């Protein structure tokens, strides 16, 4: 009686069909993966700045003194270059430099393709008084994606009470219309 051998494995056709299906699925996944990474980076940037401003406000109220938030130039005075690390420091004499050279917290955020700029009337810094409210004029930050197709623009104001919040370009047109009629764009 002859024995039948049954070979296990795939035919060439089955293998080609499987590879084609995997290639199609990988194509969809890679497009979604890039979008997911961009959204995660955007969310992380906002959370980092929210935490930094909350810390600065809390520190000002806890120490009952003036606290400044800004990027520092090499001479340890505030600059308006928000692509640089951002610092929080006590500034009791209001000279926009850390008291005794002591920095309380420094934030270095990987902005990736995003850019960050301030709307502080050229000051480049934010300050909180001993009650945790803004000292002097209010201001905001604008987070702009390098490519609008790959990210969301966000407007991050600090109000008179010292609270930080964020508004987003929900319709992806590159601008945000504020409730009082002003338009913010990248």
């Amino acid at each position: 009686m002859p024995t039948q051998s049954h070979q296990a494995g795939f035919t060439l056709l089955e293998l080609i069909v499987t590879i084609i299906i995997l290639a199609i699925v990988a194509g969809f996944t890679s497009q979604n993966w890039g979008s997911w990474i961009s959204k995660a980076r955007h969310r992380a940037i906002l959370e980092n700045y929210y935490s930094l401003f909350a810390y600065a406000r809390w520190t000002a109220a806890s120490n009952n003194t003036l606290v400044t938030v800004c990027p520092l130039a090499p001479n340890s005075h505030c600059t308006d270059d928000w692509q640089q690390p951002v610092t929080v420091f006590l500034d009791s004499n209001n000279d926009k430099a850390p008291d005794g050279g002591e920095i309380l917290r420094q934030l270095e955020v990987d902005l990736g393709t995003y850019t960050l700029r301030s709307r502080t009337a050229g000051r480049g810094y934010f300050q909180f008084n001993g009650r945790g409210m803004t000292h002097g004029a209010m201001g905001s930050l604008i987070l702009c994606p390098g490519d609008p197709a790959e990210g969301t623009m966000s407007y991050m104001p600090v109000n008179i009470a010292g609270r930080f919040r964020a508004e987003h370009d929900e319709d992806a047109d590159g601008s945000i219309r504020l409730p009082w009629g002003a338009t913010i764009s990248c």
Side-chain angles (χ1 to χ4, degrees), residues 14-163:
E14 290 171 331
L15 186 60
I16 290 173
V17 169
T18 302
I19 290 172
I20 290 171
I21 291 172
L22 288 174
I24 292 170
V25 169
F28 287 124
T29 303
S30 66
Q31 290 172 358
N32 291 337
W33 183 255
S35 174
W36 181 83
I37 289 172
S38 179
K39 287 178 184 178
R41 174 167 293 175
H42 184 261
R43 186 173 39 254
I45 292 168
L46 294 178
E47 288 171 358
N48 279 307
Y49 280 99
Y50 179 84
S51 295
L52 184 76
F53 277 86
Y55 172 77
R57 184 176 183 222
W58 172 82
T59 301
S62 296
N63 293 301
N64 195 27
T65 191
L66 191 63
V67 170
T68 301
V69 178
C70 71
L72 289 177
N75 65 359
S76 292
H77 281 80
C78 288
T79 182
D80 198 14
D81 182 4
W82 287 80
Q83 301 303 114
Q84 299 299 315
V86 179
T87 58
V88 175
F89 53 88
L90 299 178
D91 193 8
S92 58
N93 58 359
N94 198 14
D95 67 350
K96 316 315 178 274
D99 290 352
E102 182 184 357
I103 294 173
L104 301 175
R105 187 168 283 180
Q106 185 170 18
L107 176 64
E108 292 187 51
V109 174
D110 176 14
L111 294 173
T113 61
Y114 285 92
T115 57
L116 185 67
R117 63 183 171 90
S118 72
R119 293 187 72 237
T120 56
R123 295 185 325 270
Y125 60 85
F126 295 83
Q127 290 184 304
F128 297 91
N129 64 27
R131 294 184 313 224
M133 300 177 73
T134 55
H135 178 78
M138 298 174 294
S140 60
L141 296 172
I142 300 173
L143 183 64
C144 297
D147 179 4
E150 294 180 10
T152 303
M153 174 190 163
S154 292
Y155 168 69
M156 301 171 284
V158 178
N159 69 16
I160 194 76
R163 291 188 181 99

